[in-house]
Amino acid sequence: MASPTIMNSKLQRLQYLVLDSLSSSIAWFLFFSYRKKIVEPKLFGSDITFLFNTQFWFGLVSVTFFWLTLYYLFGYYKNVYRKSRLIELWQTLLQSFVGVLVIFFVALLDDFIPSYKNYYTSITTLFVIHFTTTYLFRFIFTSRTVHKIHNREIGFKTLIVGGADSAVSIYKRLTESKKSSGNFMVGFVNGMDENGYGLKEYIPYLGSYKDLRSVIQENKIEEVLIAIERSEQNQILEDIINDLEGVDVLIKVKPNNYDILAGSVRMKSIFDVPLIEINHDLMSVWEFTLKRMFDFLISFLALFIFSPLFLLTTVLIKIGSKGPVLYYQDRIGIHGSLFKIIKFRSMHVDAEKTGPQLTADDDPRITKWGNIMRRYRIDELPQFWNVLIGDMSIIGPRPEREFYAKQIIAKAPYYKHIHKVKPGITSWGMVRFGYASSVDEMVDRLRYDIIYIENMSIFNDLKVLLYTFKIVFQGRGK
């Protein structure tokens, strides 16, 4: 059985792009014809000559580009081999509805029309034509892909974690199913069970769960099925999931009865074996795009609006103590990469001459103006530049120094999960704790940041921002 490669995924995505371009072009041509043959003759009282003029070609190209951009923002071109035709139906309905509304208000609302009824007929006609054409093309192409997956012509390179009874059971159910769910079994790694090699009779043994990352990279694994024994779950399941943080694979876990009763198992297909899918998509593509646009706009406005305060702060820092106005420090950003965070200097220049130290209440290293800045978070204002250039977000877990990150990981291995997203100027953890004065406080704050990440939304960002404003105006930063 062949397994799709990265190149094939790109080709599949390109085919969807071509089909969507073709369907949107056909839909616009049909709608253009409808306007020329039905709407405009009623307006002008005579037949209108259909011309392939500049207006037509400009509309065709710009509308096609608009639709492809909209589909991309909705995340339609992600996971091109893992599409459901039913979900795709609702996606296409929603995308068509939103897109037609935008086109109507941008391009059609100011048209001359015989009566206002033509607005309703035009928007309905465009929606019906566009949705029907688009979904027909998508349905045919997606059905072709699904057929190949079900018939084991293509599949995803899959690694099983566990080699005892649970792993053997899941292997048999997947491979003996009449219609495949798309898993191409490459091999397995065993868990802690010393007798966990029963799966060796069916697929190759590739090592221990401790070597999971290297096994995935060496074998170009696309999907990981965790089927360890119940006795092992409490001991190593968290370690495995933490270890796979940042690895580009789909993770599924064999559920126990409690997971099923608690509603953790979601059925995606009547042919699928019930598994818990570890979802890496924190927000949809369009929400991340909106979040980035929000970050850029607010940061640009903040740098402009607060420029007089920047000037005043510069003067007061210079008067208060010797040294530079701005303070640059390496912090850990998204995916564990380092970046230079920018702050107004609130401490004396020799504050860390003996090594990294966390701040405490009445810390003598903090200048008089520095204390005021930290209470009202004025020292954080230059970080809007970090947000503007894309190193940070306005809302996100606070970035730590590598020195302290290692200490946090030693106490809380799940700390790695905050690197899924860009760090922020403020966060739920900062709202609850403010500046941490110990590693234990960092760990306490981390719990709130993890909960925020797993519940990320534009709405929650706005709530954190409003609470931050409240803290700033009350001067309760520490």
Side-chain angles (χ1 to χ4, degrees), residues 409-469:
I409 289 173
K411 292 191 173 189
Y414 53 86
Y415 171 76
K416 297 175 184 177
H417 289 272
I418 72 166
H419 298 148
K420 292 178 182 178
V421 298
K422 289 181 181 179
I425 296 177
T426 187
S427 67
W428 190 19
M430 283 295 289
V431 167
R432 292 298 302 264
F433 282 92
Y435 296 101
S437 57
S438 69
V439 173
D440 287 334
E441 280 194 12
M442 288 179 171
V443 173
D444 288 337
R445 187 173 69 187
L446 172 64
R447 293 190 181 97
Y448 289 95
D449 287 333
I450 293 293
I451 294 172
Y452 161 78
I453 289 171
E454 297 304 327
N455 294 274
M456 276 185 69
S457 69
I458 299 299
F459 179 70
N460 283 336
D461 276 11
L462 291 174
K463 286 200 295 185
V464 171
L465 192 60
L466 289 174
Y467 277 110
T468 301
F469 284 148

Side-chain angles (χ1 to χ4, degrees), residues 89 121 162 164 201 209 245 301 319 395:
L89 171 64
T121 55
E201 182 180 341
Y209 77 94
E245 177 56 39
L301 291 174
I319 292 174
I395 311 297

Side-chain angles (χ1 to χ4, degrees), residues 238-279:
E238 184 179 336
D239 291 340
I240 291 171
I241 294 175
N242 285 335
D243 190 40
L244 291 180
E245 177 56 39
V247 180
D248 187 21
V249 292
L250 181 64
I251 306 169
K252 295 180 180 179
V253 181
K254 182 183 178 183
N256 54 37
N257 290 336
Y258 174 79
D259 294 322
I260 295 171
L261 293 173
S264 301
V265 182
R266 292 288 181 266
M267 187 179 74
K268 292 192 173 182
S269 167
I270 60 173
F271 302 108
D272 285 347
V273 173
L275 296 166
I276 299 173
E277 185 174 313
I278 308 298
N279 190 5

Side-chain angles (χ1 to χ4, degrees), residues 151-327:
N151 287 277
R152 295 179 169 84
E153 295 176 36
I154 58 175
F156 311 104
K157 286 187 173 182
T158 303
L159 176 73
I160 295 181
V161 179
D165 294 341
S166 290
V168 172
S169 171
I170 202 76
Y171 170 81
K172 287 183 175 180
R173 292 173 70 182
L174 286 169
T175 55
E176 294 173 3
S177 175
K178 184 178 179 181
K179 291 193 175 184
S180 172
S181 57
N183 295 108
F184 176 79
M185 300 300 179
V186 175
F188 78 98
V189 298
N190 69 301
M192 295 177 66
D193 189 348
E194 294 181 358
N195 299 315
Y197 295 92
L199 200 56
K200 201 171 185 179
E201 182 180 341
Y202 305 94
I203 51 177
Y205 169 69
L206 301 178
S208 165
Y209 77 94
K210 297 178 181 179
D211 306 316
L212 196 51
R213 272 182 172 256
S214 59
V215 171
I216 289 171
Q217 292 171 356
E218 290 169 8
N219 294 275
K220 298 180 180 178
I221 300 298
E222 297 165 283
E223 193 165 314
V224 173
L225 302 183
I226 302 176
I228 54 180
E229 301 306 300
R230 183 175 297 183
S231 59
E232 300 175 290
Q233 288 186 5
N234 293 334
Q235 295 173 282
I236 65 172
L237 184 57
E238 184 179 336
D239 291 340
I240 291 171
I241 294 175
N242 285 335
D243 190 40
L244 291 180
E245 177 56 39
V247 180
D248 187 21
V249 292
L250 181 64
I251 306 169
K252 295 180 180 179
V253 181
K254 182 183 178 183
N256 54 37
N257 290 336
Y258 174 79
D259 294 322
I260 295 171
L261 293 173
S264 301
V265 182
R266 292 288 181 266
M267 187 179 74
K268 292 192 173 182
S269 167
I270 60 173
F271 302 108
D272 285 347
V273 173
L275 296 166
I276 299 173
E277 185 174 313
I278 308 298
N279 190 5
H280 290 294
D281 294 328
L282 305 175
M283 292 197 300
S284 60
V285 175
W286 73 267
E287 285 182 296
F288 270 117
T289 303
L290 185 61
K291 181 178 173 70
R292 177 57 189 148
M293 291 171 62
F294 174 80
D295 284 345
F296 185 88
L297 179 62
I298 297 300
S299 299
F300 181 82
L301 291 174
L303 291 170
F304 176 75
I305 293 170
F306 291 122
S307 55
L309 181 58
F310 277 47
L311 182 60
L312 175 63
T313 300
T314 299
V315 173
L316 291 173
I317 290 173
K318 280 294 186 183
I319 292 174
S321 64
K322 295 180 180 180
V325 171
L326 296 175
Y327 179 65

Side-chain angles (χ1 to χ4, degrees), residues 323-340:
V325 171
L326 296 175
Y327 179 65
Y328 297 86
Q329 192 177 69
D330 285 336
R331 297 289 179 98
I332 300 177
I334 189 169
H335 305 315
S337 60
L338 292 177
F339 73 99
K340 294 281 187 184

Side-chain angles (χ1 to χ4, degrees), residues 324-446:
V325 171
L326 296 175
Y327 179 65
Y328 297 86
Q329 192 177 69
D330 285 336
R331 297 289 179 98
I332 300 177
I334 189 169
H335 305 315
S337 60
L338 292 177
F339 73 99
K340 294 281 187 184
I341 198 171
I342 311 171
K343 301 175 72 174
F344 280 126
R345 181 174 58 82
S346 60
M347 294 187 178
H348 297 287
V349 290
D350 58 352
E352 291 192 329
K353 60 183 178 181
T354 59
Q357 299 177 53
L358 293 171
T359 57
D361 295 335
D362 301 321
D363 196 319
R365 299 174 301 153
I366 302 175
T367 64
K368 290 182 179 179
W369 174 238
N371 269 314
I372 297 173
M373 285 196 297
R374 292 168 75 88
R375 282 182 60 194
Y376 292 94
R377 303 279 173 85
I378 296 172
D379 59 321
E380 310 281 359
L381 289 178
Q383 289 167 42
F384 281 113
W385 176 253
N386 287 119
V387 176
L388 196 68
I389 63 176
D391 288 334
M392 296 177 66
S393 179
I394 292 175
I395 311 297
R398 284 298 295 168
E400 301 293 351
R401 285 185 277 180
E402 198 169 13
F403 176 82
Y404 291 109
K406 291 177 180 178
Q407 297 180 51
I408 295 172
I409 289 173
K411 292 191 173 189
Y414 53 86
Y415 171 76
K416 297 175 184 177
H417 289 272
I418 72 166
H419 298 148
K420 292 178 182 178
V421 298
K422 289 181 181 179
I425 296 177
T426 187
S427 67
W428 190 19
M430 283 295 289
V431 167
R432 292 298 302 264
F433 282 92
Y435 296 101
S437 57
S438 69
V439 173
D440 287 334
E441 280 194 12
M442 288 179 171
V443 173
D444 288 337
R445 187 173 69 187
L446 172 64

